[in-house]
Amino acid sequence: MADPTLVLYALILGFVEGLTEFLPISSTGHLILAGQLLGFNGEKAKVFMIAIQLAAILAVVWEYRVRLRHVVTTVHTEPASRRLVLNLMAGFVPAAVLGFLFYKEIKGYLFNPLVVASALVIGGVLILWAERRKHVISTPTVDDLNWRRALAVGFAQALAMIPGTSRSGATIIGGLFLGLSRKAAAEFSFLLAIPTMFAATAYDLYKNWQLFDAGDIPLFAIGGVASFASALLAVRTLLKFVSRHDYTVFAWYRIVFGGVVLATAYTGLVDWGVTH
């Protein structure tokens, strides 16, 4: 039987991952901070946090299953399906190349709470800027997106290799700056997450497979179920939310949350275990 404390931690981290992965508030950042508070850290914990992302991305695959099936079956016959595949490839390339080149440096130097908190605050300010500038929509739907804008969104996504930046936040806000509507930016972010997160998860597990044994399976299953369920809820909620509201609430959440982490670290109120 799995340790009840570890089961609880797996549940908590699974829910944190699922709820934050597709909101512009940084799932990796929240997992690092939650793991530090729970004392669930170290190399194996980091890989566990990456692995439960797979369950979150499966929630997006499930939510878009009809569209994805249509694209796969019509990619040779419909220009719109071919265009979407090309756009996803263009958006995927920057993060894939930079992540492969700088994997060690990112894992070694950027995965700490102060980097996360700083990135949360900076990202929040950028969201406020994006929302307060005049938003001219040139791409109302994902089907209107061209490969050049998709590539530019991909470069924005690459910034999310800095923990705390938020992959979804970078792609959504990048999309807003490039003229995508809020719904188009959110949907392209969700779809782009599929190849990006599958590749990142597979690469991380390949690099760290020796850290796992059969005893990890129950924790992965528990964390995965929690992550899948909460991610499905988050995706559906965000799409409804952005149809009526902007992203300002997420900006202020990031600024306040990041500010609290920085303040508690500076005053010594909370030991965030910063080693770099």
Side-chain angles (χ1 to χ4, degrees):
M1 294 293 291
D3 183 333
T5 300
L6 290 179
V7 170
L8 178 61
Y9 290 173
L11 272 173
I12 292 171
L13 293 172
F15 281 121
V16 169
E17 160 61 26
L19 289 173
T20 59
E21 181 61 55
F22 302 104
L23 302 181
I25 57 176
S26 178
S27 63
T28 302
H30 279 74
L31 286 173
I32 291 171
L33 296 173
Q36 185 63 39
L37 287 175
L38 294 172
F40 186 68
N41 43 34
E43 291 304 312
K44 183 174 283 196
K46 286 181 183 177
V47 180
F48 167 79
M49 293 175 188
I50 294 293
I52 59 174
Q53 289 182 346
L54 180 61
I57 197 57
L58 287 176
V60 172
V61 173
W62 176 257
E63 182 68 10
Y64 284 92
R65 63 193 182 281
V66 174
R67 181 165 192 175
L68 293 172
R69 188 185 306 120
H70 177 78
V71 169
V72 169
T73 57
T74 63
V75 68
H76 297 298
T77 58
E78 292 189 10
S81 294
R82 283 196 296 273
R83 186 164 57 250
L84 179 58
V85 171
L86 177 63
N87 288 341
L88 291 176
M89 290 172 61
F92 170 72
V93 167
V97 173
L98 293 173
F100 178 77
L101 292 176
F102 299 107
Y103 177 87
K104 245 183 225 184
E105 288 77 8
I106 292 166
K107 292 292 183 181
Y109 297 101
L110 298 182
F111 272 62
N112 75 69
L114 294 191
V115 170
V116 169
S118 300
L120 282 169
V121 173
I122 293 169
V125 172
L126 288 175
I127 292 174
L128 289 179
W129 179 26
E131 286 293 6
R132 291 181 180 182
R133 65 193 282 274
K134 186 177 181 182
H135 187 200
V136 179
I137 298 175
S138 57
T139 308
T141 71
V142 170
D143 290 332
D144 300 309
L145 186 64
N146 61 44
W147 72 267
R148 293 179 185 83
R149 283 196 174 93
L151 180 63
V153 171
F155 278 106
Q157 177 177 248
L159 294 173
M161 289 186 291
I162 302 171
T165 301
S166 171
R167 191 209 61 81
S168 58
T171 52
I172 288 171
I173 300 308
L176 294 183
F177 276 114
L178 291 163
L180 277 69
S181 68
R182 290 188 180 89
K183 187 174 182 182
E187 287 194 335
F188 188 65
S189 174
F190 296 157
L191 293 169
L192 185 56
I194 296 173
T196 302
M197 289 175 59
F198 269 129
T201 301
Y203 188 66
D204 247 311
L205 292 177
Y206 166 74
K207 296 286 285 186
N208 298 281
W209 64 270
Q210 70 277 6
L211 295 175
F212 296 99
D213 54 48
D216 296 317
I217 293 175
L219 293 181
F220 274 67
I222 291 166
V225 170
S227 178
F228 180 92
S230 53
L232 196 60
L233 174 65
V235 168
R236 292 176 177 176
T237 302
L238 183 61
L239 286 175
K240 289 179 183 176
F241 181 85
V242 298
S243 66
R244 304 194 268 304
H245 307 88
D246 62 21
Y247 292 99
T248 300
V249 64
F250 299 110
W252 284 115
Y253 171 82
R254 291 176 64 113
I255 292 168
V256 171
F257 185 32
V260 168
V261 173
L262 290 173
T264 54
Y266 179 77
T267 60
L269 189 62
V270 177
D271 178 11
W272 291 106
V274 179
T275 58
H276 298 294

Short mmCIF file of all heavy atoms in Angstrom, two decimals, residues 9 13 19 49 51-52 62 66 76 86 92 100 103 105 131 170 195 197 210 216 227 234 250 261-262 270:
data_model
loop_
_atom_site.label_atom_id
_atom_site.label_comp_id
_atom_site.label_asym_id
_atom_site.label_seq_id
_atom_site.Cartn_x
_atom_site.Cartn_y
_atom_site.Cartn_z
N TYR A 9 -0.37 13.96 -1.00
CA TYR A 9 0.45 14.88 -1.78
C TYR A 9 0.18 14.70 -3.28
O TYR A 9 0.11 15.69 -4.03
CB TYR A 9 1.93 14.64 -1.50
CG TYR A 9 2.40 15.07 -0.13
CD1 TYR A 9 3.68 14.79 0.31
CD2 TYR A 9 1.55 15.76 0.74
CE1 TYR A 9 4.12 15.18 1.57
CE2 TYR A 9 1.97 16.14 2.00
CZ TYR A 9 3.26 15.84 2.41
OH TYR A 9 3.69 16.23 3.65
N LEU A 13 -1.15 17.73 -5.61
CA LEU A 13 -0.36 18.18 -6.75
C LEU A 13 -1.08 17.89 -8.07
O LEU A 13 -0.96 18.66 -9.02
CB LEU A 13 1.02 17.51 -6.73
CG LEU A 13 1.91 17.94 -5.57
CD1 LEU A 13 3.17 17.08 -5.51
CD2 LEU A 13 2.28 19.41 -5.68
N LEU A 19 -5.70 22.22 -12.53
CA LEU A 19 -6.38 23.51 -12.45
C LEU A 19 -5.56 24.65 -13.02
O LEU A 19 -6.11 25.63 -13.52
CB LEU A 19 -6.74 23.82 -10.98
CG LEU A 19 -7.86 22.97 -10.38
CD1 LEU A 19 -7.99 23.25 -8.89
CD2 LEU A 19 -9.19 23.23 -11.09
N MET A 49 6.04 15.64 -11.10
CA MET A 49 5.28 16.82 -11.49
C MET A 49 5.20 16.97 -13.01
O MET A 49 4.18 17.40 -13.56
CB MET A 49 5.89 18.07 -10.86
CG MET A 49 5.77 18.11 -9.34
SD MET A 49 6.62 19.52 -8.61
CE MET A 49 6.49 19.14 -6.86
N ALA A 51 5.41 14.36 -15.08
CA ALA A 51 4.64 13.22 -15.57
C ALA A 51 3.13 13.44 -15.48
O ALA A 51 2.39 13.03 -16.38
CB ALA A 51 5.04 11.96 -14.81
N ILE A 52 2.67 14.09 -14.41
CA ILE A 52 1.22 14.27 -14.29
C ILE A 52 0.69 15.30 -15.29
O ILE A 52 -0.52 15.42 -15.47
CB ILE A 52 0.81 14.66 -12.85
CG1 ILE A 52 1.49 15.95 -12.39
CG2 ILE A 52 1.08 13.52 -11.89
CD1 ILE A 52 1.01 16.44 -11.03
N TRP A 62 -9.17 14.88 -25.01
CA TRP A 62 -10.55 14.43 -24.85
C TRP A 62 -11.54 15.55 -25.19
O TRP A 62 -12.52 15.32 -25.90
CB TRP A 62 -10.79 13.95 -23.42
CG TRP A 62 -12.21 13.56 -23.15
CD1 TRP A 62 -13.16 14.27 -22.48
CD2 TRP A 62 -12.86 12.35 -23.58
NE1 TRP A 62 -14.35 13.59 -22.45
CE2 TRP A 62 -14.19 12.40 -23.12
CE3 TRP A 62 -12.42 11.24 -24.31
CZ2 TRP A 62 -15.09 11.38 -23.38
CZ3 TRP A 62 -13.34 10.22 -24.56
CH2 TRP A 62 -14.65 10.29 -24.08
N VAL A 66 -13.32 15.43 -31.09
CA VAL A 66 -14.07 15.47 -32.36
C VAL A 66 -13.30 16.26 -33.40
O VAL A 66 -13.14 15.82 -34.55
CB VAL A 66 -15.48 16.09 -32.14
CG1 VAL A 66 -16.19 16.25 -33.48
CG2 VAL A 66 -16.30 15.21 -31.20
N HIS A 76 -5.62 15.39 -45.71
CA HIS A 76 -5.23 15.28 -47.12
C HIS A 76 -6.25 15.88 -48.07
O HIS A 76 -5.97 16.03 -49.26
CB HIS A 76 -5.01 13.80 -47.49
CG HIS A 76 -3.88 13.16 -46.73
ND1 HIS A 76 -2.58 13.60 -46.83
CD2 HIS A 76 -3.87 12.13 -45.84
CE1 HIS A 76 -1.81 12.85 -46.06
NE2 HIS A 76 -2.57 11.97 -45.44
N LEU A 86 -0.10 22.60 -40.04
CA LEU A 86 1.08 23.43 -40.31
C LEU A 86 1.29 24.45 -39.21
O LEU A 86 2.42 24.68 -38.75
CB LEU A 86 0.92 24.13 -41.66
CG LEU A 86 2.05 25.10 -42.06
CD1 LEU A 86 3.36 24.36 -42.20
CD2 LEU A 86 1.70 25.85 -43.34
N PHE A 92 5.18 24.74 -32.55
CA PHE A 92 5.89 23.77 -31.72
C PHE A 92 7.41 23.91 -31.81
O PHE A 92 8.13 23.71 -30.83
CB PHE A 92 5.48 22.36 -32.14
CG PHE A 92 6.30 21.26 -31.54
CD1 PHE A 92 6.18 20.92 -30.20
CD2 PHE A 92 7.20 20.55 -32.32
CE1 PHE A 92 6.94 19.90 -29.65
CE2 PHE A 92 7.97 19.53 -31.78
CZ PHE A 92 7.84 19.20 -30.44
N PHE A 100 15.48 21.58 -26.10
CA PHE A 100 16.49 20.55 -26.30
C PHE A 100 17.90 21.09 -26.04
O PHE A 100 18.73 20.43 -25.41
CB PHE A 100 16.40 19.99 -27.72
CG PHE A 100 17.43 18.94 -28.04
CD1 PHE A 100 17.28 17.65 -27.57
CD2 PHE A 100 18.55 19.26 -28.78
CE1 PHE A 100 18.24 16.67 -27.84
CE2 PHE A 100 19.51 18.30 -29.07
CZ PHE A 100 19.35 17.00 -28.60
N TYR A 103 18.09 22.32 -21.96
CA TYR A 103 17.40 21.50 -20.95
C TYR A 103 18.14 21.52 -19.61
O TYR A 103 17.55 21.76 -18.55
CB TYR A 103 17.29 20.06 -21.46
CG TYR A 103 16.66 19.10 -20.48
CD1 TYR A 103 15.27 18.94 -20.42
CD2 TYR A 103 17.45 18.34 -19.60
CE1 TYR A 103 14.69 18.05 -19.53
CE2 TYR A 103 16.87 17.46 -18.70
CZ TYR A 103 15.50 17.32 -18.67
OH TYR A 103 14.93 16.44 -17.78
N GLU A 105 20.47 23.57 -18.35
CA GLU A 105 20.54 24.89 -17.72
C GLU A 105 19.20 25.27 -17.09
O GLU A 105 19.15 25.82 -15.98
CB GLU A 105 20.95 25.95 -18.75
CG GLU A 105 22.40 25.88 -19.20
CD GLU A 105 22.66 24.75 -20.19
OE1 GLU A 105 21.71 24.11 -20.66
OE2 GLU A 105 23.83 24.50 -20.49
N GLU A 131 -3.94 43.75 -21.98
CA GLU A 131 -5.38 43.98 -21.89
C GLU A 131 -5.74 45.47 -21.95
O GLU A 131 -6.84 45.82 -22.37
CB GLU A 131 -5.93 43.37 -20.60
CG GLU A 131 -6.02 41.84 -20.63
CD GLU A 131 -7.07 41.33 -21.62
OE1 GLU A 131 -7.65 42.12 -22.38
OE2 GLU A 131 -7.29 40.11 -21.63
N ALA A 170 1.88 32.63 -21.80
CA ALA A 170 2.74 33.17 -22.84
C ALA A 170 2.08 33.07 -24.21
O ALA A 170 2.14 34.01 -25.01
CB ALA A 170 4.08 32.43 -22.84
N PRO A 195 1.11 18.81 -28.81
CA PRO A 195 2.45 18.35 -29.20
C PRO A 195 3.54 18.81 -28.25
O PRO A 195 4.49 18.07 -27.96
CB PRO A 195 2.64 18.95 -30.60
CG PRO A 195 1.74 20.13 -30.65
CD PRO A 195 0.55 19.74 -29.82
N MET A 197 3.47 19.54 -24.90
CA MET A 197 3.54 18.86 -23.61
C MET A 197 3.81 17.37 -23.74
O MET A 197 4.49 16.78 -22.90
CB MET A 197 2.25 19.11 -22.83
CG MET A 197 2.13 20.55 -22.34
SD MET A 197 0.56 20.89 -21.55
CE MET A 197 0.59 19.71 -20.21
N GLN A 210 15.40 6.32 -14.76
CA GLN A 210 16.03 5.53 -13.72
C GLN A 210 15.55 5.89 -12.31
O GLN A 210 15.82 5.18 -11.35
CB GLN A 210 17.56 5.67 -13.80
CG GLN A 210 18.11 7.03 -13.39
CD GLN A 210 18.04 8.07 -14.51
OE1 GLN A 210 17.49 7.81 -15.58
NE2 GLN A 210 18.60 9.24 -14.26
N ASP A 216 6.03 3.46 -7.73
CA ASP A 216 5.54 4.80 -8.07
C ASP A 216 4.19 4.78 -8.79
O ASP A 216 3.53 5.81 -8.90
CB ASP A 216 6.55 5.52 -8.98
CG ASP A 216 7.87 5.78 -8.28
OD1 ASP A 216 7.84 6.18 -7.10
OD2 ASP A 216 8.92 5.57 -8.91
N SER A 227 -5.38 15.20 -11.91
CA SER A 227 -4.94 16.16 -12.92
C SER A 227 -5.89 16.18 -14.12
O SER A 227 -6.28 17.25 -14.59
CB SER A 227 -3.52 15.81 -13.38
OG SER A 227 -3.08 16.70 -14.39
N ALA A 234 -10.96 23.05 -15.91
CA ALA A 234 -10.31 24.33 -16.16
C ALA A 234 -10.45 24.76 -17.62
O ALA A 234 -10.71 25.94 -17.91
CB ALA A 234 -8.83 24.24 -15.78
N PHE A 250 -6.54 37.30 -13.85
CA PHE A 250 -5.38 36.41 -13.75
C PHE A 250 -4.10 37.22 -13.56
O PHE A 250 -3.18 36.77 -12.87
CB PHE A 250 -5.27 35.55 -15.00
CG PHE A 250 -6.46 34.65 -15.23
CD1 PHE A 250 -7.33 34.88 -16.28
CD2 PHE A 250 -6.71 33.58 -14.38
CE1 PHE A 250 -8.43 34.06 -16.49
CE2 PHE A 250 -7.80 32.75 -14.58
CZ PHE A 250 -8.66 32.99 -15.63
N VAL A 261 5.02 35.57 -2.26
CA VAL A 261 6.15 34.65 -2.18
C VAL A 261 7.46 35.42 -1.99
O VAL A 261 8.29 35.09 -1.15
CB VAL A 261 6.24 33.77 -3.44
CG1 VAL A 261 7.52 32.93 -3.43
CG2 VAL A 261 5.02 32.86 -3.52
N LEU A 262 7.64 36.49 -2.77
CA LEU A 262 8.87 37.29 -2.65
C LEU A 262 8.97 37.94 -1.27
O LEU A 262 10.05 37.97 -0.66
CB LEU A 262 8.90 38.37 -3.74
CG LEU A 262 9.11 37.86 -5.17
CD1 LEU A 262 8.93 39.01 -6.17
CD2 LEU A 262 10.49 37.25 -5.33
N VAL A 270 8.66 32.46 5.45
CA VAL A 270 8.54 31.11 4.89
C VAL A 270 9.88 30.70 4.32
O VAL A 270 10.53 31.47 3.61
CB VAL A 270 7.46 31.07 3.76
CG1 VAL A 270 7.41 29.66 3.14
CG2 VAL A 270 6.10 31.45 4.30
#
